[in-house]
Amino acid sequence: MTNLKITRTTLSDGRELIYFDQPGTPDRTAPDERGLPRVETDSWMRRDPLTGEWAIYAAHRQNRTFLPPANEDPLAPTLPGQKPSEIPEANYQVVVFENRFPSLSMHQSVAVDYDPRVDGEDLFERAPALARCEVVCFTPDADGSFKDLPLERKRALIDVWAHRTAEFSAIDEVKAVFPFENRGEEIGVTLHHPHGQIYSYPFVPPRTAAIAQRAGEHREAHGTELFDDIIGAEQRAATRVIEDSEHFCVFTPAAAKWPLEVMVMAKRAVPDFAALTEKEKDDLARICHKLFAAVDHFFEGVDRTPYIAAWNQAPVDTPADGRFHLQLFSLMRSPNRMKFLAGSESGMGAWINDTTPETIAATIKEHYA
Amino acid sequence: MTNLKITRTTLSDGRELIYFDQPGTPDRTAPDERGLPRVETDSWMRRDPLTGEWAIYAAHRQNRTFLPPANEDPLAPTLPGQKPSEIPEANYQVVVFENRFPSLSMHQSVAVDYDPRVDGEDLFERAPALARCEVVCFTPDADGSFKDLPLERKRALIDVWAHRTAEFSAIDEVKAVFPFENRGEEIGVTLHHPHGQIYSYPFVPPRTAAIAQRAGEHREAHGTELFDDIIGAEQRAATRVIEDSEHFCVFTPAAAKWPLEVMVMAKRAVPDFAALTEKEKDDLARICHKLFAAVDHFFEGVDRTPYIAAWNQAPVDTPADGRFHLQLFSLMRSPNRMKFLAGSESGMGAWINDTTPETIAATIKEHYA
């Protein structure tokens, strides 16, 4: 496991905060002096009887922080004499903490004997949105980005994601753990300070469930692993492979649905960050270092591509039904146009792509070095 | 069926255009004088081996018309002495025509003996995107909106959608027909002229497939129809019902996933527009007249709510597995903020809603009159 120095503390409202530092870093001892009221959320999930999908209701999030002025960056370290941020220390390397405005939370104000039905109707299942959400601060520097982090910091973040995935997975309620980064105001990012998030869900989300189902069907039909066979087919085709390293295949999927999309898939049967070997982590950090830089140069004249970095992990309870992979994609489709998810995508779930996977891969390759 | 006067014509590039007029309207005889080259598209679908979902590739759409100046509105009638638009006549009531930049088309330049695999790989299924897409012009007035149309025009549009649904469904390749309207620049609408679109798909799209599966499971488990039971539960709960008319139930679903969402569901086992009775069409037109006005007043200080009106129809081949319903929703979540589909939604397919279905329904009810 990681050799990072881990310091756990509790914020004044009861949320947990964890510093991850290189060995030898001075102790982290600063208290949260804000005296916040005890955190308590009231978010629920309801299952759509028409589609079977769970939706999460987090009405308290209406009031969350939007693009605060620089001197109120909640992810900045708390410097002496300044207004306290979320992070009590005057410096940090990587820090994670429970989200202050979480979609899902273990701090729920739910009654023990709640009715698992909306309006007492069996068709309208509901449950408290019990799971954990965390913010992951990549750097104390508000102006950087994941791409700009030194290789060692990216490597440390992989250790952090592994650590958090293991801990999240140990929570009884958690059925799936999802680390991700939203980058760019174009996709609604409310804080510019470089950070990611980790969501977990008390259900297997639709994409993870669809993949698990396909993996099972494929195993049944062919006796082989879907993920291995996809990698094998991409390797043979070769037209969309950006890098084929010892431990990962980097490619634009044959049926990519976003105008910019690239996948980094583990070659071994790895379900999640926590199952990666040290060598695999090294390889992944190196790949990220090149890939996120290439993505930022994807569109001519744009040097900061909005993206979603979605770290796909297997379902917690059936790790063989998934394969650890990054799906890195953008809703930008040209230097000044975003892809909107309108009728076909938002209404029917049928994606239309105005480019081809081969074009995407070729453009990424130009900048992948 | 409809008593509208139907005039079929062919545009200079081979696309079909159909006028729908009140009886007694003078004949539509104007030719398309643009002399366009014969239409030929080259769009494909590929099936994602990870999720099983088809994605559509329409690379030629990169060059489609974006927010043209008013004097180049392609949906305006062609007035004498002006540059010809898509519609040759100098006036019209409702007109539909095959999309010039279609995602799917029956005018494909595909070879008869195409390889149904990308790169010759069995895992990478592909097929030409063979189906029909049409634009539906609601009115010759570029400044109006569906909401502002007189009741009779809305009623005529329902006849038009029924007519087109029946014709689309008769195409061998078509497995699902999807009439919809995208409204608002906020969601990427490229033409302000009031219009909708009709897509069809040579596969059953994910939402329709999920509903069909749930309907089958529900029938198996309970011996009743899922759609009837949902309506029954909403009626008993009553907290989200906006109108319960003779033929339709208008409600915000118990598990609504959008910040503004309302459903108009047929009470009878109606699969699609084409199966509606005249009385049901009258009732639906009346409901639309009230509902779309209420939606435009949903947000205080906004008088033009961006929305997606998604007319859900049953799969063409298994009509009993679906129920005709309008899902009318918006990605706007407050007067100046859009909902972005970021990590959880776009990455995992797990929706988070910052409001509740009951709040949505109450707000719509305030303006529904």
Side-chain angles (χ1 to χ4, degrees):
Chain A
M1 200 62 216
T2 176
N3 64 351
L4 294 172
K5 177 178 172 183
I6 295 173
T7 311
R8 293 174 183 271
T9 181
T10 304
L11 296 175
S12 57
D13 57 4
R15 288 177 294 134
E16 191 175 23
L17 179 146
I18 311 174
Y19 297 99
F20 291 85
D21 293 297
Q22 293 301 322
T25 304
D27 287 352
R28 304 296 191 188
T29 56
D32 176 7
E33 293 180 332
R34 292 173 295 174
L36 298 173
R38 185 133 203 100
V39 66
E40 196 171 78
T41 58
D42 181 31
S43 56
W44 288 82
M45 319 185 308
R46 296 178 180 190
R47 194 172 189 192
D48 182 350
L50 262 187
T51 62
E53 290 173 7
W54 288 96
I56 296 157
Y57 298 91
H60 57 281
R61 274 166 55 91
Q62 286 277 26
N63 304 315
R64 70 183 189 271
T65 313
F66 281 89
L67 293 179
N71 62 350
E72 287 182 22
D73 175 7
L75 310 187
T78 296
L79 297 177
Q82 288 205 352
K83 193 175 164 189
S85 73
E86 286 280 72
I87 298 127
E89 285 286 332
N91 198 6
Y92 66 83
Q93 294 167 21
V94 174
V95 65
V96 309
F97 58 87
E98 291 181 83
N99 200 313
R100 188 163 176 191
F101 303 99
S103 299
L104 305 105
S105 170
M106 298 303 290
H107 304 280
Q108 297 283 4
S109 57
V110 63
V112 176
D113 58 343
Y114 71 88
D115 188 339
R117 306 166 304 174
V118 177
D119 298 322
E121 292 290 338
D122 291 344
L123 258 184
F124 300 159
E125 294 173 64
R126 71 168 193 164
L130 276 171
R132 189 169 165 124
C133 288
E134 285 184 354
V135 176
V136 182
C137 301
F138 297 161
T139 164
D141 175 8
D143 297 321
S145 72
F146 180 75
K147 170 196 73 171
D148 299 325
L149 301 174
L151 182 58
E152 311 77 59
R153 176 61 53 86
K154 291 191 177 86
R155 178 65 179 75
L157 276 167
I158 293 170
D159 271 333
V160 170
W161 284 319
H163 181 274
R164 303 315 301 142
T165 295
E167 286 210 355
F168 276 53
S169 300
I171 300 172
D172 271 354
E173 285 80 359
V174 166
K175 304 298 175 203
V177 184
F178 176 46
F180 65 98
E181 181 193 355
N182 295 331
R183 202 256 220 146
E185 265 184 80
E186 297 89 340
I187 55 164
V189 173
T190 53
L191 285 172
H192 291 317
H193 193 119
H195 72 287
Q197 297 182 70
I198 309 175
Y199 272 28
S200 59
Y201 304 98
F203 54 86
V204 179
R207 176 175 166 88
T208 310
I211 294 173
Q213 188 184 330
R214 295 281 294 181
E217 288 167 1
H218 188 89
R219 202 177 293 125
E220 187 97 354
H222 303 284
T224 54
E225 289 304 309
L226 174 63
F227 314 105
D228 296 335
D229 292 347
I230 288 174
I231 290 173
E234 290 290 2
Q235 287 169 329
R236 279 189 301 273
T239 44
R240 290 168 302 274
V241 173
I242 292 151
E243 181 180 351
D244 191 20
S245 80
E246 189 178 349
H247 301 290
F248 292 91
C249 192
V250 185
F251 59 98
T252 294
K257 65 183 187 179
W258 303 99
L260 189 178
E261 181 171 346
V262 59
M263 197 165 275
V264 181
M265 187 175 273
K267 290 187 170 180
R268 193 171 60 82
V270 176
D272 56 27
F273 271 117
L276 291 170
T277 64
E278 297 304 303
K279 281 192 160 46
E280 285 167 339
K281 289 176 183 171
D282 293 343
D283 197 23
L284 183 59
R286 188 191 52 73
I287 287 168
C288 285
H289 208 55
K290 295 164 78 171
L291 181 58
F292 283 76
V295 162
D296 258 3
H297 292 104
F298 189 88
F299 296 104
E300 210 163 314
V302 174
D303 60 359
R304 205 182 151 83
T305 304
Y307 64 70
I308 295 170
W311 295 97
N312 280 239
Q313 310 199 101
V316 170
D317 295 334
T318 57
D321 284 345
R323 174 71 56 92
F324 175 70
H325 66 272
L326 167 66
Q327 187 194 24
L328 177 58
F329 59 97
S330 180
L331 287 81
M332 184 169 262
R333 59 187 212 176
S334 69
N336 44 25
R337 288 215 297 264
M338 296 297 288
K339 172 163 185 66
F340 291 95
L341 301 181
S344 191
E345 291 89 358
S346 289
M348 284 293 116
W351 254 249
I352 295 157
N353 200 337
D354 292 352
T355 182
T356 66
E358 291 72 27
T359 308
I360 299 170
T363 308
I364 294 175
K365 261 195 259 190
E366 273 175 41
H367 303 288
Y368 189 86
Chain B
M1 200 60 215
T2 176
N3 63 351
L4 293 172
K5 177 178 173 184
I6 295 173
T7 311
R8 291 174 184 273
T9 181
T10 304
L11 297 175
S12 57
D13 57 4
R15 289 177 293 135
E16 190 174 24
L17 179 146
I18 312 175
Y19 296 99
F20 290 86
D21 293 298
Q22 293 302 323
T25 304
D27 286 352
R28 304 296 191 189
T29 57
D32 176 9
E33 294 182 331
R34 291 173 296 174
L36 298 173
R38 186 134 203 98
V39 67
E40 197 170 77
T41 59
D42 182 31
S43 55
W44 289 82
M45 320 186 305
R46 297 178 179 191
R47 194 171 188 193
D48 183 349
L50 262 187
T51 62
E53 290 173 6
W54 288 96
I56 296 157
Y57 298 91
H60 56 280
R61 274 166 56 90
Q62 286 276 26
N63 304 316
R64 69 184 190 271
T65 313
F66 280 89
L67 292 179
N71 63 350
E72 287 183 21
D73 175 7
L75 310 187
T78 296
L79 297 178
Q82 289 205 350
K83 192 174 163 190
S85 72
E86 286 280 72
I87 298 125
E89 285 286 332
N91 198 4
Y92 66 83
Q93 292 168 21
V94 174
V95 64
V96 309
F97 58 87
E98 290 181 86
N99 200 314
R100 188 163 177 191
F101 304 99
S103 300
L104 305 105
S105 169
M106 297 303 291
H107 304 279
Q108 298 283 3
S109 57
V110 64
V112 176
D113 58 343
Y114 72 88
D115 188 340
R117 306 165 304 174
V118 177
D119 297 321
E121 291 292 339
D122 291 344
L123 257 184
F124 300 158
E125 295 174 64
R126 70 167 193 166
L130 276 170
R132 188 170 165 122
C133 287
E134 285 184 353
V135 176
V136 182
C137 302
F138 298 162
T139 164
D141 175 9
D143 297 321
S145 73
F146 180 75
K147 171 195 74 174
D148 299 325
L149 301 174
L151 181 60
E152 312 76 60
R153 177 59 56 83
K154 292 191 177 84
R155 179 66 178 74
L157 276 166
I158 293 170
D159 271 332
V160 170
W161 284 319
H163 180 274
R164 303 315 301 143
T165 296
E167 285 210 355
F168 277 51
S169 299
I171 300 171
D172 271 353
E173 285 81 359
V174 167
K175 304 297 176 204
V177 183
F178 176 46
F180 65 97
E181 181 193 355
N182 296 330
R183 200 254 222 146
E185 265 185 81
E186 296 90 339
I187 55 165
V189 173
T190 52
L191 285 173
H192 290 317
H193 193 121
H195 71 288
Q197 297 183 70
I198 308 176
Y199 272 28
S200 58
Y201 304 98
F203 54 86
V204 179
R207 177 176 165 89
T208 309
I211 293 173
Q213 189 184 330
R214 295 280 295 182
E217 288 168 2
H218 188 90
R219 202 177 293 126
E220 187 96 354
H222 303 283
T224 54
E225 289 304 310
L226 174 63
F227 314 104
D228 295 335
D229 292 347
I230 288 174
I231 291 173
E234 290 290 3
Q235 287 170 329
R236 278 189 301 274
T239 44
R240 290 168 301 275
V241 174
I242 292 151
E243 182 181 350
D244 190 20
S245 81
E246 189 178 351
H247 301 289
F248 292 91
C249 192
V250 184
F251 59 99
T252 295
K257 65 184 189 179
W258 303 99
L260 190 178
E261 182 173 345
V262 58
M263 196 165 274
V264 181
M265 187 175 275
K267 291 187 169 180
R268 194 170 60 83
V270 176
D272 56 26
F273 271 116
L276 290 171
T277 64
E278 297 304 304
K279 280 195 158 53
E280 285 167 340
K281 290 177 182 171
D282 293 343
D283 197 24
L284 182 58
R286 187 190 53 74
I287 287 168
C288 285
H289 207 56
K290 295 163 79 170
L291 180 58
F292 282 76
V295 161
D296 258 4
H297 291 104
F298 190 87
F299 295 104
E300 210 163 313
V302 175
D303 60 0
R304 204 179 151 84
T305 305
Y307 64 72
I308 295 171
W311 294 98
N312 280 239
Q313 310 200 100
V316 170
D317 295 334
T318 57
D321 283 345
R323 173 70 57 92
F324 174 70
H325 66 272
L326 167 67
Q327 186 194 24
L328 177 59
F329 59 98
S330 180
L331 286 80
M332 185 169 261
R333 60 186 211 176
S334 67
N336 44 24
R337 287 215 296 265
M338 295 298 288
K339 172 163 186 64
F340 291 94
L341 301 181
S344 190
E345 291 88 1
S346 289
M348 284 293 117
W351 254 250
I352 294 157
N353 200 336
D354 292 353
T355 182
T356 66
E358 291 71 28
T359 308
I360 299 170
T363 308
I364 294 174
K365 260 194 259 189
E366 273 175 41
H367 302 288
Y368 189 86

